[in-house]
Amino acid sequence: MSERHLTYADSGVDIAKEEKTVKTLIEKLSYVRKGIGAPLTGIGHYAGLLDFGEYALALTTDGVGSKVLIANEMQRWNTVGIDCIAMNVNDLLAMGAEPVAFVDYLALEKHEEGFAVQIGEGLLKGAEISRMSIVGGETATLPDIIKGFDLAGTCLGIVKKNQVVEGGKVRVGDVVVGIHSTGVHSNGYTLVRKIVEEAGYSYHDPCPYDSSKTIGDELLVPTRIYIEILDVLKACEVHGLAHITGSGLLKLRRVTKLGFDFYDPLEPQEIFKFLQKEGGVEELEMYRTFNMGMGFLIILPEKDAAKAVEITGGKIVGKIVESGIRVRDLVIE
């Protein structure tokens, strides 16, 4: 176990500085289209919504991040396409929107035999799970800029205006249903890589808690696509939805200013316990960086909680309170 208490900022990603940069950028984006295509929400939620008559079009854009460096080390690229689609689709679902189309952007240092086939395999699998079409994209060879590759994309979704889920209906006493993640998903990998490398491990080493796979295998498990949320929206009165990604439970401030009491959270997978131990990462930092086993949250009245649990395989993990974000006795905010 590391004697240091590593943080996300130590690894080079300072969430506070990132938020300041984003805020500065948004302040410059003052032009707003009128009529069809006019924005229905401000910048800063999970997806941007555009006026399209009876419907709202929803747009998201995201990438795989530094997880691609582990894919390069393992010479296995057939899962990162799933990650790319998942990071976008899950953000659409968090607004109640159904994904319909996707375009990808692949930037390369150089072309290698077999690489594009594996990237395509992952994108196809992600599109199939999401029940949407990939309608185009762009590939750029940029040896002076890119070392390895970068994969990102943009997703289009659709939702009736009266069915948008923004969090405005969240009330004190609502129940929070947590849905399991498949592990680290595609966030916090700058810290993940620093922990693994400083602890002296190779990504090809056997996983300490499961010798049937390597550490690299465990870290390349693709992000879960929560397409079943569409079924929850049809069956339940949903007040809020949250995709838990980078900055962990701090993401909940996108949904509501009310508080969250996670009195019975989902148990984090072994990979989180391994990273916490080897990096000496404090519990608070873990919940402010990773999903910690809860990749998606549904906020709804208690009367509908059992149905949501049945559809998703999740469980009731907490409730909405007046203020703060708490995981048992740990105060996140």
Side-chain angles (χ1 to χ4, degrees):
M1 177 177 175
S2 171
E3 294 182 2
R4 294 182 62 193
H5 295 290
L6 288 176
T7 67
Y8 206 7
D10 289 334
S11 69
V13 181
D14 189 316
I15 292 172
K17 289 183 178 179
E18 187 175 278
E19 289 179 350
K20 184 177 180 181
T21 297
V22 171
K23 183 179 179 182
T24 301
L25 179 61
I26 290 172
E27 287 172 352
K28 294 296 181 182
L29 306 178
S30 58
Y31 177 78
V32 176
R33 178 185 170 92
K34 307 296 182 183
I36 290 293
L40 297 173
T41 57
I43 298 173
H45 216 307
Y46 282 105
L49 299 181
L50 307 177
D51 188 350
F52 206 69
E54 179 186 357
Y55 289 87
L57 298 182
L59 281 173
T60 60
T61 190
D62 207 344
V64 181
S66 64
K67 188 173 184 175
V68 300
L69 297 175
I70 299 176
N72 278 341
E73 174 64 28
M74 301 298 293
Q75 293 287 288
R76 183 154 61 83
W77 304 285
N78 62 343
T79 61
V80 291
I82 301 174
D83 288 301
C84 185
I85 286 181
M87 296 306 294
N88 283 280
V89 165
N90 289 341
D91 278 0
L92 285 184
L93 294 170
M95 301 288 287
E98 178 179 359
V100 295
F102 188 85
V103 293
D104 65 273
Y105 175 71
L106 177 62
L108 298 162
E109 179 182 7
K110 61 183 178 179
H111 293 267
E112 295 186 33
E113 190 71 29
F115 170 79
V117 171
Q118 291 194 37
I119 294 292
E121 287 175 2
L123 290 171
L124 172 62
K125 183 66 174 178
E128 288 175 342
I129 295 169
S130 306
R131 304 197 291 266
M132 68 174 183
S133 306
I134 297 178
V135 296
E138 175 70 12
T139 299
T141 307
L142 303 169
D144 294 331
I145 300 174
I146 299 294
K147 301 305 175 187
F149 78 101
D150 188 27
L151 179 63
T154 297
C155 197
L156 173 69
I158 191 166
V159 57
K160 286 189 174 180
K161 285 179 182 175
N162 61 0
Q163 294 175 1
V164 172
V165 180
E166 292 185 78
K169 295 181 179 179
V170 175
R171 298 289 181 267
V172 171
D174 280 349
V175 169
V176 182
V177 171
I179 314 176
H180 294 85
S181 68
T182 50
V184 185
H185 281 182
S186 195
N187 298 101
Y189 273 79
T190 303
L191 177 55
V192 167
R193 291 184 299 104
K194 189 175 185 67
I195 291 170
V196 172
E197 291 162 15
E198 286 200 0
Y201 286 99
S202 161
Y203 296 110
H204 300 278
D205 288 341
C207 195
Y209 50 85
D210 184 353
S211 60
S212 69
K213 53 189 173 183
T214 67
I215 293 172
D217 291 333
E218 184 76 331
L219 292 172
L220 286 179
V221 172
T223 305
R224 178 173 174 176
I225 297 174
Y226 296 94
I227 199 66
E228 64 270 30
I229 292 300
L230 295 177
D231 297 323
V232 175
L233 289 165
K234 292 175 183 176
C236 304
E237 179 188 338
V238 175
H239 290 174
L241 297 162
H243 178 208
I244 307 303
T245 57
S247 71
L249 293 181
L250 296 177
K251 273 287 191 293
L252 295 175
R253 284 292 161 252
R254 287 185 171 185
V255 180
T256 179
K257 298 301 182 185
L258 293 172
F260 291 76
D261 178 10
F262 293 98
Y263 54 80
D264 189 20
L266 295 172
E267 183 71 14
Q269 289 94 338
E270 289 296 322
I271 185 62
F272 294 111
K273 299 173 185 178
F274 165 73
L275 293 169
Q276 183 173 9
K277 176 184 176 184
E278 294 298 332
V281 185
E282 295 182 350
E283 190 95 348
L284 179 61
E285 185 71 9
M286 293 294 291
Y287 276 100
R288 286 181 167 179
T289 304
F290 302 111
N291 68 64
M292 294 298 281
M294 296 191 295
F296 209 98
L297 300 174
I298 308 168
I299 306 162
L300 71 179
E302 187 174 5
K303 65 180 178 64
D304 285 340
K307 187 65 177 177
V309 167
E310 177 187 344
I311 292 170
T312 63
K315 76 166 188 174
I316 296 173
V317 294
K319 62 183 179 181
I320 299 297
V321 293
E322 290 287 351
S323 62
I325 300 174
R326 181 184 296 269
V327 179
R328 295 196 177 100
D329 295 328
L330 184 67
V331 178
I332 308 300
E333 184 186 77

